[in-house]
Amino acid sequence: RQSYHLSGCCSGNMSELYQKQIAVIGGLLNQSDVNAKRVLSGYNPTVKYEANKASLKKCNAAQLEACATFLGFTVRNDANEKLYRNQDILADRLILKIESLFETQCSECSQPYQNKLDDTPLLTCTLCMQGSHDCNQIRTKMEAMGEIKPAGTSWLCFGCLDKNNLALNPPPKQQRRTRTYSAVSEAASDALQPIPEDREEDEE
């Protein structure tokens, strides 16, 4: 059986948050097929975004697509054409989706919550794909919006509100790349170039 090991971490000193994140990864590994497992086992909650993306990009196209499908993405259209032809973008989306299943804080009621893979949140963060909490405040907001959201309506999760509130959280002189930044920059600037065929071959 494949084990999930994070180098440089001492199990005796794991924080409660870290333990919860590992539990999420373990649950996904238990439900996924062999191709999706290859991708999921490459994600490490203790390392930076770029390191995780580099790790996921070592997987071939079949493995990445299998993991994306498992996590709920549509990866092919009706003509069986790829919707994600850029490996960077697909790896970015996979990271954001995995992290959206970690415990977080509600931007509306300020209570901690954690979405599951089969949940369908009422709102999804415009920047990072985090699903909303199913609380009275969120439901009230949805009712105020009506069944059809007005053009341009967006919702931001607690993490993205905090990261982008420059008045309360001024950026350091040399700001580090964050999960929020990656979601915007990858989607806006990366051209959808086909993944080379040799990257799609199964790895030994």
Side-chain angles (χ1 to χ4, degrees), residues 64-65 67-76 83-84 90 92-98 129:
L64 290 170
E65 286 195 12
C67 188
T69 300
F70 168 68
L71 293 176
F73 294 103
T74 299
V75 295
R76 301 259 178 174
L83 298 178
Y84 291 93
L90 185 51
D92 178 76
R93 299 302 183 273
L94 291 173
I95 291 170
L96 295 179
K97 181 62 178 180
I98 292 169
M129 298 173 62

Side-chain angles (χ1 to χ4, degrees), residues 11 28 67 80 83-84 106 121 123 132 153 161 184:
S11 58
L28 295 175
C67 188
N80 199 36
L83 298 178
Y84 291 93
C106 179
L123 296 169
S132 64
T153 298
L161 283 171
V184 178

Side-chain angles (χ1 to χ4, degrees), residues 30-61:
N30 288 337
Q31 299 175 58
S32 57
D33 64 18
V34 63
N35 278 331
K37 276 184 172 65
R38 171 65 180 82
V39 180
L40 292 168
S41 62
Y43 176 86
N44 184 335
T46 68
V47 303
K48 296 180 181 179
Y49 164 83
E50 290 293 350
N52 271 321
K53 188 167 78 167
S55 178
L56 266 59
K57 286 173 62 178
K58 293 177 182 178
C59 301
N60 61 40

Side-chain angles (χ1 to χ4, degrees), residues 85-137:
R85 291 181 172 272
N86 184 300
Q87 200 173 23
D88 278 1
I89 292 179
L90 185 51
D92 178 76
R93 299 302 183 273
L94 291 173
I95 291 170
L96 295 179
K97 181 62 178 180
I98 292 169
E99 293 179 351
S100 76
L101 303 176
F102 294 161
E103 183 178 289
T104 187
Q105 183 176 336
C106 179
S107 61
E108 306 299 325
C109 72
S110 300
Q111 294 299 310
Y113 73 98
Q114 183 174 344
N115 287 323
K116 297 180 180 179
L117 183 59
D118 56 357
D119 288 341
T120 305
L122 293 173
L123 296 169
T124 301
C125 181
T126 305
L127 296 180
C128 75
M129 298 173 62
Q130 174 66 50
S132 64
H133 188 203
D134 186 20
C135 61
N136 290 332
Q137 288 89 331

